[in-house]
């Protein structure tokens, strides 16, 4: 069978005030075209279909149309909820999805059998997929209790709970004549972050070892980390990465989907298929004079300005580089906290004194900014 693995669409993303809706339309159109060309038996979307738990109607239309188009290629389609998604809202779409031949699993249900999906390809290859949406630490404990695996003790870790849940969902992975698959939205220890993930759901006890996946799995399709990569483990484990860079921290990532060919008796053959229409994110740096001389690269820009801070600097950069979404003073020019001028002490000092110390400590010498602060303070006081 052939599998197309994608994840972390983040439809509805707004970057520094810039809507990415048109970019997402183009990117998902290319993903659909890849599916039409490659003719996979199964498409897996491993979470974070949306960028927010309250997507706009436009974002919802784009996702549902993309899922429908993928289904119309002839593939079975399975999508799970990620940490950015609203699991109950995705589950509310299940009647529509089932009528369209699409499998949605937004959150963990009380019956573990609902997370075990069976299918057969047109060529007769039988497959089973264990589909685990994102679980917060709180609901990981609840899921363990629902499945009556063991008593959920307070000393057990998130990884303990995820390991028990996955063991329950993959109990039938010992049949020799079927392809066994897992999809989940989580962080595996040792994998590299892509740069735009939500930190609280990547660190702070949310990372699990690769050993939570069974050695009998033919392929594990993961979402959550935005960099396409293979993870060392007891079976083939892979993040497909995001098909669109969602933040400037991801500018070095190569947007792609993953294609997998596997049978019940042969190892998975894995390759990346680039998504080429994604708008690039680039970083440029220099003085105003240097920025005026460069030929701006294609894509959205982050600009590190090698100038001392002053009022109006952002507007000057914006005039030179209209596609600059993020403009900052070059970090190399910003003094480290506590160096140079002493750090202001709050006690007994006026707002003017505190603000003046802050500007001195940041190397900001523009008197116009101090005067503007005084004017605003005067208005507030009156």
């Amino acid at each position: 069978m052939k599998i197309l693995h994608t994840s972390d669409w983040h439809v509805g993303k707004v970057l520094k005030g810039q809507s990415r809706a048109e970019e997402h339309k183009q990117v998902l159109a290319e993903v659909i075209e890849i599916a039409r060309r490659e003719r996979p038996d199964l498409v897996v979307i491993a979470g974070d279909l949306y960028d927010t738990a309250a997507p706009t109607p436009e974002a919802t239309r784009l996702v549902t149309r993309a899922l429908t188009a993928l289904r119309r290629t002839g593939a079975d389609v399975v999508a799970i909820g990620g940490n950015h998604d609203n699991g109950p809202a995705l589950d509310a779409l299940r009647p529509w999805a089932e009528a369209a031949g699409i499998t949605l699993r937004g959150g963990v249900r009380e019956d573990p059998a609902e997370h075990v999906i069976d299918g057969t390809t047109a060529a007769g290859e039988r497959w089973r997929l264990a589909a685990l949406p994102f679980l917060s630490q709180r609901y990981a404990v609840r899921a363990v209790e629902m499945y009556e695996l063991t008593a959920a003790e307070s000393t057990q870790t998130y990884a303990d709970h995820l390991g028990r849940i996955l063991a329950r969902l993959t109990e039938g992975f010992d049949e020799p004549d079927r392809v066994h698959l897992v999809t989940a939205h989580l962080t595996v220890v040792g994998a590299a972050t892509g740069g735009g993930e939500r930190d609280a759901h990547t660190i702070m006890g949310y990372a699990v070892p690769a050993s939570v996946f069974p050695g009998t799995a033919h392929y594990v399709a993961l979402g959550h980390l935005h960099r396409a990569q293979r993870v060392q483990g007891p079976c083939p484990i892979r993040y497909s990465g995001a098909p669109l860079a969602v933040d400037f921290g991801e500018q070095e990532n190569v947007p792609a989907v993953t294609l997998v060919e596997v049978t019940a008796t042969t190892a998975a053959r894995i390759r990346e298929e680039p998504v080429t229409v994604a708008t690039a994110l680039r970083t440029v740096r220099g003085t105003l004079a240097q920025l005026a001389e460069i030929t701006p690269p294609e894509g959205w820009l982050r600009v590190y300005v090698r100038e001392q801070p002053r009022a109006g600097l952002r507007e000057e950069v914006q005039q030179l580089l209209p596609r600059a979404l993020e403009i900052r003073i070059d970090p190399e020019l910003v003094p480290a906290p506590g160096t140079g001028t002493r750090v202001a002490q709050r006690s007994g000092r006026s707002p003017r004194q505190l603000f003046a110390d802050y500007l001195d400590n940041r190397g900001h010498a523009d008197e116009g900014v101090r005067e503007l602060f005084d004017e605003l303070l005067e208005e507030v006081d009156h």
Side-chain angles (χ1 to χ4, degrees):
M1 68 179 297
K2 182 183 284 189
I3 304 156
L4 188 153
H5 167 204
T6 179
S7 72
D8 296 279
W9 291 357
H10 287 273
V11 174
K13 174 69 178 180
V14 176
L15 178 61
K16 310 299 179 183
Q18 174 65 44
S19 170
R20 313 293 298 282
E22 287 303 316
E23 297 171 62
H24 265 120
K25 288 178 184 177
Q26 296 172 17
V27 164
L28 293 182
E30 184 169 1
V31 172
I32 293 162
E33 181 55 37
I34 292 170
R36 287 176 179 149
R37 182 174 68 246
E38 295 289 341
R39 306 290 297 176
D41 301 290
L42 173 65
V43 174
V44 177
I45 304 101
D48 280 356
L49 287 81
Y50 298 104
D51 190 61
T52 172
T56 64
E58 180 185 24
T60 301
R61 282 194 298 272
L62 181 53
V63 167
T64 54
R65 288 173 179 174
L67 294 175
T68 301
L70 288 169
R71 175 62 182 143
R72 285 176 178 165
T73 67
D76 286 306
V77 176
V78 178
I80 62 172
N83 60 306
H84 282 254
D85 296 317
N86 184 327
L90 280 181
D91 282 330
L93 290 174
R94 284 180 60 170
W96 162 81
E98 289 168 4
I102 298 163
T103 301
L104 279 182
R105 295 294 181 266
V108 174
R109 308 297 285 256
E110 292 189 6
D111 182 2
E114 288 204 43
H115 297 277
V116 180
I117 301 148
D118 290 330
T120 305
T121 70
E125 189 78 62
R126 297 169 61 234
W127 55 268
R128 170 167 289 177
L129 172 67
L132 181 64
F134 174 77
L135 270 175
S136 68
Q137 289 180 323
R138 173 185 175 189
Y139 283 98
V141 174
R142 180 170 174 261
V144 169
E145 292 171 339
M146 284 194 308
Y147 294 176
E148 298 179 347
L149 300 169
T150 64
E153 300 172 355
S154 61
T155 56
Q156 290 177 324
T157 67
Y158 181 77
D160 291 330
H161 297 317
L162 264 291
R164 286 171 170 80
I165 293 165
L166 283 165
R168 176 67 178 83
L169 298 182
T170 59
E171 283 178 349
F173 275 29
D174 53 359
E175 294 186 28
D177 60 344
R178 182 162 51 194
V179 176
H180 302 125
L181 308 167
V182 177
T183 185
H185 193 87
L186 46 74
T187 301
V188 176
V189 174
T193 59
E197 301 87 354
R198 187 174 290 170
D199 286 345
H201 292 153
T202 307
I203 54 176
M204 297 173 61
Y206 270 92
V208 303
S211 58
V212 298
F213 303 111
T216 50
H218 290 81
Y219 182 72
V220 176
L222 296 182
H224 190 31
L225 302 188
H226 295 176
R227 180 176 299 173
Q229 61 192 291
R230 178 187 175 189
V231 180
Q232 294 294 329
C235 56
I237 304 168
R238 187 169 179 83
Y239 287 97
S240 67
L244 174 74
V246 300
D247 191 86
F248 285 103
E250 301 180 13
Q251 63 183 18
E252 301 303 324
N253 297 351
V254 179
V257 299
T258 299
L259 292 165
V260 183
E261 294 185 64
V262 63
T263 74
T265 57
T266 59
R269 290 184 296 157
I270 301 168
R271 61 185 170 93
E272 288 185 15
E273 186 68 23
V275 176
T276 59
V277 298
T279 302
L281 302 181
R282 306 293 187 203
T283 297
V284 296
R285 55 196 341 133
T287 64
L288 277 178
Q290 291 168 334
L291 295 175
E293 295 297 323
I294 69 170
T295 300
E298 293 292 328
W300 300 115
L301 303 181
R302 174 174 61 181
V303 183
Y304 286 141
V305 192
R306 299 191 63 84
E307 303 270 354
Q308 291 301 317
R310 66 173 184 272
L313 181 59
R314 177 182 178 84
E315 289 72 16
E316 293 179 60
V317 175
Q318 197 81 55
Q319 285 183 347
L320 294 173
L321 302 170
R323 289 181 68 84
L325 298 184
E326 183 176 329
I327 301 170
R328 296 184 179 184
I329 301 300
D330 195 316
E332 295 178 4
L333 297 183
V334 179
T339 62
T341 305
R342 63 184 175 82
V343 178
Q345 299 298 315
R346 289 176 179 270
S347 178
R349 300 176 66 80
S350 70
R352 286 185 177 89
Q353 291 171 321
L354 290 172
F355 188 64
D357 276 359
Y358 167 79
L359 293 179
D360 289 341
N361 198 52
R362 304 291 289 184
H364 202 307
D366 189 352
E367 284 299 323
V369 174
R370 298 171 196 251
E371 293 171 3
L372 179 59
F373 179 82
D374 288 343
E375 291 177 16
L376 293 173
L377 186 63
E378 188 81 16
E379 289 184 18
V380 171
D381 286 343
H382 288 80

